[in-house]
Amino acid sequence: MKPNVLKIHPKDNVLVALKNLSKGESVQYENETFVLADDIAAKHKFFVNDMKAGDEVIMYGVLVGKAQHDIPAGGLMTTQNVKHAAEPFAYRPYHYKWQAPDVSKFRNRTFNGYHRSDGRVGTANYWLFIPTVFCENRNLDVIREALHNELGYAVTDKYKQKTHQLIELYKKGEDITSADLSPSSSERAEVRLFKNVDGIKFLNHQGGCGGTRQDAAILSKLLAAYADHPNVAGVTVLSLGCQNLQVKDFQNDLNQRNPNFDKPLYIFEQQQSQSEEQLITEAIRKTFLGLIEANKLERKPASLDKMVVGVKCGGSDGFSGISANPAVGYFSDMMVALGGKVLLAEFPELCGAEQNLIDRTKDEAAAKKFIHLMTAYSEAATKVGSGFHMNPSPGNIKDGLITDAIKSAGAARKGGTSPVEDVLDYTEPAVKPGLNLVCTPGNDVEATTGKAASGATLILFTTGLGTPTGNPVCPTIKVATNSSLAKRMSDIIDIDCGPIVEGDKTIEQMGEEILEYCIKAASGEVIPKAVQLNQDDFIPWKRGVSL
């Protein structure tokens, strides 16, 4: 008989319900019987012993909260009876020992990627449009409409066709309430002109002028990181001319990041052009010539150590920390054992997991950098009347993530158990193989935007509630924590980790399946749903308080 509850760590004083349980029901776990004092919904937790006000709540083997009043054994954990708490952290000499997983069957595997002149290998081949200031967003929209439709990259045609059907029905005076708007057999799929160019991407943003000079400086480094990304074949830049973020600043940051940058880079400044039409026409003409050259590059085999994978969670639920996140964590350990890079970010969602990560950090300077970044970030949030404890969203809480420390302890499992090789501030590139910590907010899009800036060529995005987030240059793979979500939102989910909860697969088995999927995605053999739907979300972080 499959278990209906789970204790994640031997030290825990709570159990997780794997299915809906009723008040008064007797639940057995490891030769102990617990009588439930409340209804316990799946994904939520109940206490294994009586709790007094001030008692510590332990989950994942760490402090995640404190009881606010007396709670009986079998009682439901809620936001009313438990508040966030986490252990303090500090650097200490610690000799961390890691047992790498057996990766012998993957040792000689390869993926087919796009090889760049500096030795990096992309998992995709994109052309990138960058505005130095928000004033150019409209021009980018005009160019997107022209190029996407004509070159075969549009995904909105089916909705245009549905709208056209509604118009025709309306003109005929027919009922549109329940009209069949399914595609007709005569509709044809778009055919790409450039087979080896996976897409044309546009980094619309709201920065580049106004705000502070620091905002413009950070944005410049971010845009330079995207231009230099191994998944990018060439870049077209549109500038107004008078904005805070000057073209020369962008070029300086690009040269500092990669002195040997040799991709096509076409720059157009509107205030130096004859007209808007002339600016857009020349940008399209020059880009088209660049696309012809980019199309000449073909995928070739590369060893798995060339992969750089960002791991992210969003729309998390009470199963995130026991299914999808640990499965991705096992994948991360395999990736590290194979010589690849793994990027773990979302610093507000590492609250409570800091000491473990510090103890795993190989270099003292890197460990102290992590402490500085976490402390400064937390203090900034506190100064504006917020704090990491306010990170969980209403959706998180509703599905069992009662405190930030609970959410963080589960979120940190995406990084596996390997040593931390390096700690990176926002936009800093990952250069060391192994697990890297990247300072970003927990916000889904700000975090994925930052991971790509640090060099992620794939992103594994776990979700329990479902989210349509993607990234313009980094294929984003959605991993569901439960099978119900995977079935209900099959249009956005790529991998289902529900079998872990159901007891049909182990974390290790799912981790290996995730690696197999990543190899195929990196080779262009499967296209993640977020890529198919052009979910190209891009939000620069201004280094303000964003949880």
Side-chain angles (χ1 to χ4, degrees), residues 28-47:
Q28 286 191 320
Y29 187 79
E30 293 185 345
N31 299 320
E32 289 189 77
T33 300
F34 306 94
V35 179
L36 301 182
D38 300 291
D39 290 334
I40 313 295
K43 307 179 185 179
H44 284 262
K45 295 86 184 166
F46 65 87
F47 294 94

Side-chain angles (χ1 to χ4, degrees), residues 198-221:
D198 295 304
I200 305 171
K201 303 299 182 176
F202 298 80
L203 300 188
N204 293 47
H205 59 78
Q206 302 303 314
C209 204
T212 67
R213 293 297 190 271
Q214 289 88 342
D215 290 342
I218 293 170
L219 177 62
S220 180
K221 292 182 184 299

Side-chain angles (χ1 to χ4, degrees), residues 60 320-321 325-326 405-414:
Y60 296 99
S320 292
N325 287 353
I406 291 176
K407 184 178 180 180
S408 296
R413 299 189 80 182
K414 302 188 304 292

Side-chain angles (χ1 to χ4, degrees), residues 427-447:
T427 76
E428 286 186 334
V431 295
K432 295 182 179 180
L435 179 61
N436 291 255
L437 305 183
V438 184
C439 185
T440 74
N443 174 288
D444 291 349
V445 181
E446 287 174 324

Side-chain angles (χ1 to χ4, degrees), residues 57 74 115 134 136 153 214 228 255 273-274 325 334 339 342 403 408 440 470 522 527:
V57 180
H115 292 248
F134 59 83
E136 292 300 315
Y153 297 108
Q214 289 88 342
D228 187 50
N255 182 66
S273 65
Q274 297 173 9
N325 287 353
M334 289 192 293
V342 174
T403 73
S408 296
T440 74
I527 308 299

